Amino acid sequence: MENAYLSEILPHILQGSAFTQEEVHRLQAALWQLLKIQTASYTMGESSSVTVEVAGELLQSLCFTLQLHLTHTGDFRALLTSEPSALLARAQQTLKREVGIGKLLLARAKDTAPALDSVSYQDTLNGIALFFKQYDLRFFAHQIPGEIDYQLAQPLPDSLEGIAYINEYLRRLCAENIFCSYFSAKHLDSLLQSISPEYGSLLINLFEPAAVNAIGLALLQKNVLGLNISAADRIELQALFRDKEQDSTLSLLALASKEVCRQLAIKDPLLQNYLLKTAQDIYPRLETATNLEGIFLAFYEQAEDELSPFFYDGPQLPSKCLAALICEMQDSPCISDKIALALRTLHSVADLAEVLNVCFWEQEASQLLETLAAETRQQLATFITRKPEGWHSETGWEKFLE
């Protein structure tokens, strides 16, 4: 067990040949001496032996405590030059300081928490408060008592344990909170409701949708504080990403994260890097998504309004937006998705006719036309009368108006 734990906790020392084989044996002897001391303390001197499971936990706690302390000091040779009990005492003092830092971070997380209803968020803050009441830094420093349900946008590495895990979790949570504080609670709520009106009871990260939308708006050179991304905005984004190689797309996303920081005057390196990683994480989603609706979100109430098929005989979409929309519809295998996209995006009768000309064939055209109000169908009929005599569309949609 000793070699396994030593190899697991101090791999960079052993693999980097910082110690000779003789010194490694001395390290092992020192650890086992400390384990005997810890075991005696744990049993309050009543026994020199414990179960294998408890011994394993005590040794893992011991190694975690020493590793955290030596990482702070940078003096790993103290394992050989210091008296073991004195070194452990200093290491436990380092742990106590980290616990103090953690309590300050928890207070900051509570103070900066978004004014939104999230059960998992509040339960996690309560769970971390419980951690500080139950944390046993003497014997089980590597453990994490208390429940942590709320998922960060950037998960922590599995290698973190104990107070190191809690403090890094809280640092990232505070960074997410600070970012959310730039936006109104009303905007954040509308954005999250577009995921689900019951988002408060779901395991949904509050930061990530806002960060992704802000990055999207930065790509469009718009004010990121608006936070909402319309259907027309998504079409522009689709055109922006179309046919770009991975490196080009990642570069665009990285520049957008910097633009978000510029607009919001974000100077904190942790939050800057956090946004950059969030931007980079958009790329694999773009690779697998059939459209951008599940990535760049419209406010809930606006999304509902956009489903109302209202059309007018007036300004059309920019040509590049209409071309991108047509490409997206032609790539979609699902008729219901194509119809929903048309109703959310198109408001010009001329644009609607153009899409019908090239995207909706036979019964597909019939299904779309059935969703339209009689007034809109009449507008389309009037539109056709302006065409040259004998005109026919490629798809034959006009016959379904009769």
Side-chain angles (χ1 to χ4, degrees):
M1 179 170 66
E2 54 188 273
N3 285 333
Y5 273 111
L6 195 58
S7 297
E8 179 184 349
I9 302 299
L10 302 174
H12 56 290
I13 294 178
L14 298 179
Q15 296 173 8
S17 301
F19 291 83
T20 66
Q21 191 62 39
E22 179 186 352
E23 288 173 333
V24 169
H25 289 312
R26 288 170 57 192
L27 282 174
Q28 293 172 336
L31 280 174
W32 283 102
Q33 180 184 345
L34 285 173
L35 180 59
K36 290 178 181 179
I37 295 172
Q38 286 292 86
T39 301
S41 297
Y42 179 72
T43 62
M44 294 182 290
E46 294 181 1
S47 174
S48 60
S49 64
V50 291
T51 65
V52 172
E53 290 76 16
V54 171
E57 292 294 309
L58 291 173
L59 182 56
Q60 192 170 350
S61 173
L62 181 61
C63 291
F64 167 76
T65 301
L66 292 172
Q67 184 189 38
L68 181 69
H69 172 69
L70 296 172
T71 299
H72 275 66
T73 64
D75 182 17
F76 280 88
R77 296 199 69 81
L79 287 164
L80 295 173
T81 60
S82 300
E83 195 279 322
S85 295
L87 178 60
L88 178 59
R90 293 196 297 273
Q92 289 177 339
Q93 286 301 313
T94 299
L95 270 183
K96 289 180 182 179
R97 287 193 291 273
E98 287 299 302
V99 169
I101 292 171
K103 290 179 178 179
L104 292 175
L105 287 170
L106 176 59
R108 188 184 184 203
K110 290 180 176 179
D111 289 342
T112 58
L116 300 166
D117 292 326
S118 171
V119 174
S120 66
Y121 188 101
Q122 292 303 321
D123 285 350
T124 293
L125 290 182
N126 293 335
I128 294 176
L130 182 63
F131 166 89
F132 288 109
K133 293 180 180 178
Q134 297 182 347
Y135 186 51
D136 187 346
L137 64 82
R138 286 187 64 198
F139 301 116
F140 303 108
H142 63 296
Q143 294 183 358
I144 307 174
E147 295 291 332
I148 299 179
D149 295 327
Y150 184 73
Q151 302 298 307
L152 296 172
Q154 299 299 325
L156 272 63
D158 294 336
S159 58
L160 289 178
E161 297 179 301
I163 189 61
Y165 180 96
I166 291 296
N167 283 3
E168 183 58 24
Y169 180 95
L170 287 170
R171 288 187 185 97
R172 297 188 185 198
L173 183 64
C174 287
E176 293 188 1
N177 289 354
I178 295 301
F179 181 80
C180 290
S181 71
Y182 287 98
F183 306 94
S184 73
K186 181 180 179 181
H187 283 179
L188 290 171
D189 179 68
S190 295
L191 186 62
L192 290 162
Q193 283 198 57
S194 69
I195 299 174
S196 170
E198 306 299 325
Y199 73 86
S201 62
L202 304 177
L203 293 176
I204 290 177
N205 178 268
L206 305 178
F207 158 89
E208 191 265 351
V212 170
N213 263 32
I215 290 164
L217 290 168
L219 284 167
L220 298 174
Q221 300 181 341
K222 293 188 174 184
N223 187 338
V224 301
L225 288 174
L227 204 57
N228 183 47
I229 288 187
S230 67
D233 291 333
R234 283 195 294 274
I235 293 171
E236 286 193 57
L237 288 168
Q238 189 83 46
L240 188 63
F241 292 128
R242 187 176 296 279
D243 298 329
K244 281 193 169 51
E245 298 293 333
Q246 178 177 350
D247 289 346
S248 297
T249 303
L250 288 173
S251 178
L252 274 177
L253 292 169
L255 288 173
S257 75
K258 290 182 180 179
E259 174 61 15
V260 172
C261 292
R262 187 196 68 78
Q263 288 194 32
L264 300 180
I266 294 173
K267 305 297 183 183
D268 177 23
L270 173 60
L271 184 49
Q272 289 177 342
N273 291 333
Y274 209 81
L275 278 169
L276 175 59
K277 184 64 171 65
T278 301
Q280 292 171 335
D281 287 346
I282 295 173
Y283 177 75
R285 298 172 65 186
L286 294 173
E287 285 290 279
T288 58
T290 56
N291 57 61
L292 300 184
E293 292 185 12
I295 301 175
F296 300 102
L297 306 175
F299 285 172
Y300 177 70
E301 62 268 24
Q302 292 195 17
E304 290 295 309
D305 290 340
E306 287 172 357
L307 287 173
S308 176
F310 171 76
F311 293 89
Y312 53 83
D313 192 2
Q316 300 172 243
L317 286 173
S319 57
K320 67 176 182 179
C321 292
L322 184 59
L325 175 64
I326 288 172
C327 288
E328 184 172 351
M329 286 186 174
Q330 289 175 333
D331 290 342
S332 176
C334 179
I335 178 60
S336 60
D337 288 347
K338 290 167 65 173
I339 291 174
L341 184 59
L343 297 183
R344 276 193 298 270
T345 309
L346 300 173
H347 296 292
S348 161
V349 173
D351 286 342
L352 177 59
E354 180 63 23
V355 166
L356 280 164
N357 284 344
V358 294
C359 296
F360 289 84
W361 297 80
E362 296 299 328
Q363 292 304 315
E364 291 183 343
S366 175
Q367 291 181 50
L368 173 57
L369 292 170
E370 286 175 2
T371 67
L372 302 177
E375 179 184 356
T376 301
R377 291 197 296 272
Q378 182 57 48
Q379 288 175 304
L380 284 169
T382 302
F383 179 85
I384 291 173
T385 64
R386 301 172 188 161
K387 296 291 183 180
E389 186 176 353
W391 173 87
H392 295 288
S393 69
E394 293 181 36
T395 60
W397 63 266
E398 63 279 6
K399 66 185 179 184
F400 294 103
L401 282 175
E402 301 172 359

